[in-house]
Amino acid sequence: MAKQLDYHTIYEIFTRFRDAEPEPKGELDHTNAYTLVVAVALSAQATDVGVNKATKELFKIADTPEKMLALGIDGLTEHIKTIGLFRQKAKNVIKLSQILVDEYDGVVPSSRAALISLPGVGRKTANVVLNMWFKQPAQAVDTHIFRIGNRTGIAPGKDVDAVERAIEDNIPAEFLQHAHHWLILHGRYVCKARKPMCGNCILRDLCPFEEKNL
């Protein structure tokens, strides 16, 4: 775990992220708040690419809780059977859809507590929805962000909650809305787990990672 970087270094890092990609986008396909909740819930232990393939046809016929319930668990399962843990995920999606209909008039709530109360929706999923759809500066810490936070010293922490707090505490407010996506995309395509592409990294001169490669 690297030491916490100072404010000025972090500011420079996120200035570079912003200059390179002013409006970073998530890679899960969705059309509304509901399909985003479903897509993120399905993405646990699965790739965004795999989820997008499974939901391409699904969301054409079931883009609301009501339509998902009409499709039913068997119909949903048929669409998502290529995704890991698809049986449990199908049950969760049907259950959360029923709750949205019964308790929220079919509308996805903008409260973290309400989102977390839905089956299959944890804090990370809730934060993704709050960030991407409701434009709140929530930070969803996945394996990429956890790795980068500790490897670079941007947001070191022993667990995901600690890294989330470090991001909120140490990254300047003007960058928080997009910090989540900048870090995820950087971890996915540059600062990889086993073979980080340090030679192509825009942060190379600022990063304290001791195993930087050429």
Side-chain angles (χ1 to χ4, degrees):
M1 182 189 300
K3 286 177 56 179
Q4 174 68 56
L5 292 178
D6 63 84
Y7 174 86
H8 296 291
T9 303
I10 291 177
Y11 195 94
E12 175 61 22
I13 284 172
F14 283 90
T15 297
R16 294 184 188 183
F17 279 144
R18 182 172 61 188
D19 290 346
E21 185 62 62
E23 295 289 333
K25 304 295 182 185
E27 297 183 321
L28 279 174
D29 294 338
H30 60 283
T31 58
N32 54 30
Y34 173 71
T35 54
L36 178 59
V37 170
V38 173
V40 180
L42 293 177
S43 72
Q45 299 183 49
T47 66
D48 288 1
V49 172
V51 172
N52 289 341
K53 287 181 180 179
T55 59
K56 182 178 181 180
E57 297 302 321
L58 172 65
F59 289 159
K60 290 179 181 178
I61 59 174
D63 60 353
T64 68
E66 294 84 356
K67 292 178 183 177
M68 191 67 75
L69 291 172
L71 180 64
I73 193 165
D74 290 339
L76 171 57
T77 300
E78 188 63 27
H79 279 280
I80 67 170
K81 62 185 180 181
T82 56
I83 300 174
L85 306 176
F86 68 93
R87 295 189 190 281
Q88 184 58 49
K89 289 177 180 178
K91 292 178 183 178
N92 287 337
V93 169
I94 293 299
K95 288 179 181 178
L96 73 83
S97 298
Q98 190 67 61
I99 292 172
L100 289 175
V101 170
D102 292 345
E103 300 182 19
Y104 299 98
D105 296 321
V107 177
V108 174
S110 59
S111 154
R112 179 185 285 114
L115 287 168
I116 290 176
S117 73
L118 299 173
V121 177
R123 185 178 180 88
K124 184 178 76 171
T125 297
N127 283 350
V128 171
V129 175
L130 291 174
N131 182 285
M132 290 181 64
W133 191 261
F134 295 106
K135 306 304 179 185
Q136 296 181 24
Q139 306 302 319
V141 179
D142 69 350
T143 55
H144 296 302
I145 293 181
F146 184 79
R147 178 176 68 255
I148 293 176
N150 282 291
R151 179 181 280 175
T152 66
I154 291 173
K158 293 183 178 180
D159 54 41
V160 293
D161 291 338
V163 171
E164 182 181 332
R165 289 194 298 272
I167 290 173
E168 294 173 345
D169 290 344
N170 300 313
I171 295 176
E174 67 187 273
F175 300 116
L176 280 177
Q177 180 61 53
H178 292 316
H180 159 75
H181 282 123
W182 281 321
L183 291 171
I184 283 179
L185 295 173
H186 191 64
R188 187 171 289 168
Y189 297 112
V190 181
C191 196
K192 300 178 181 181
R194 295 184 179 179
K195 295 183 178 180
M197 300 169 65
C198 299
N200 296 329
C201 181
I202 60 174
L203 312 178
R204 180 175 172 80
D205 59 312
L206 302 174
C207 177
F209 182 48
E210 294 180 354
E211 299 174 38
K212 277 189 285 194
N213 59 68
L214 298 178

